Amino acid sequence: MQRLAMDLRMLSRDLSLYLEHQVRVGFFGSGVGLSLILGFSVAYACYYLSSIAKKPQLVTGGESFSRFLQDHCPVVTETYYPTVWCWESRGQTLLRPFITSKPPVQYRNELIKTADGGQISLDWFDNDNNKCYMDAGTRPTILLLPGLTGTSKESYILHMIHLSEELGYRYQ
């Protein structure tokens, strides 16, 4: 019995020494870890391409309007590829405040009083410094209407303003 205990101690000491001198490869350096990551990546890519990326469903009141949209706005017939890492719309809504940037935009505010005592506040981005449309009368105007609780200070609106500035448009 003592001999068995001594053999076990020697074996555990030898095993301990052997393990201490091994090169540590970690999870990603081992074949198993890399295989798991590649396997999950391929499975996710297949799922994304087969179930998530789709052509939009175009719902219109009549065939003529549908044909008009397809002829003048060909993007409605192309496959839509949402963000790979956050393709679900509610997830995008929850993550947006944490990952957005807000480019600086200077507005001119116009306050219009209505007959019923209400008021309408318009934020204008005139884009007077553009080189495409020097005459303000010929400068295209984009009307952006933020969501129910949104404002002209929302990050997606600010990015659209920045893009319209590059194209020479003005914003209302």
Side-chain angles (χ1 to χ4, degrees):
M1 189 69 161
Q2 284 182 352
R3 179 153 170 79
L4 181 62
M6 196 162 120
D7 285 345
L8 282 176
R9 267 187 258 127
M10 278 182 68
L11 182 62
S12 67
R13 183 178 55 94
D14 290 344
L15 182 60
S16 163
L17 268 171
Y18 173 76
L19 290 174
E20 285 176 10
H21 295 303
Q22 290 299 306
V23 176
R24 300 194 192 285
V25 292
F27 182 73
F28 294 109
S30 69
V32 174
L34 189 57
S35 297
L36 283 173
I37 290 170
L38 286 175
F40 282 122
S41 297
V42 168
Y44 182 74
C46 290
Y47 174 70
Y48 177 85
L49 292 173
S50 66
S51 299
I52 296 170
K54 295 182 179 181
K55 290 186 178 184
Q57 180 182 3
L58 189 58
V59 179
T60 61
E63 183 63 32
S64 62
F65 184 56
S66 176
R67 179 63 41 214
F68 173 81
L69 286 176
Q70 291 172 4
D71 291 343
H72 293 87
C73 189
V75 74
V76 299
T77 61
E78 297 174 3
T79 302
Y80 174 65
Y81 297 95
T83 306
V84 175
W85 54 270
C86 188
W87 45 265
E88 213 280 327
S89 60
R90 289 175 292 256
Q92 292 174 356
T93 299
L94 292 173
L95 285 176
R96 185 184 64 85
F98 300 109
I99 59 173
T100 58
S101 64
K102 293 188 174 188
V105 174
Q106 293 291 90
Y107 294 117
R108 173 178 57 86
N109 185 268
E110 180 180 354
L111 196 61
I112 302 170
K113 304 243 184 234
T114 61
D116 64 355
Q119 59 186 17
I120 300 171
S121 177
L122 298 176
D123 287 330
W124 287 89
F125 176 74
D126 292 316
N127 199 7
D128 291 327
N129 298 328
N130 78 72
K131 295 179 181 25
C132 300
Y133 302 97
M134 299 300 226
D135 180 20
T138 62
R139 189 175 306 137
T141 301
I142 299 173
L143 176 64
L144 298 176
L145 301 172
L148 182 61
T149 60
T151 69
S152 60
K153 306 272 192 273
E154 300 293 330
S155 65
Y156 71 95
I157 297 285
L158 295 173
H159 283 281
M160 283 193 258
I161 299 293
H162 184 68
L163 179 60
S164 69
E165 178 183 18
E166 291 174 8
L167 296 171
Y169 304 160
R170 64 181 168 180
Y171 160 78
Q172 174 186 2

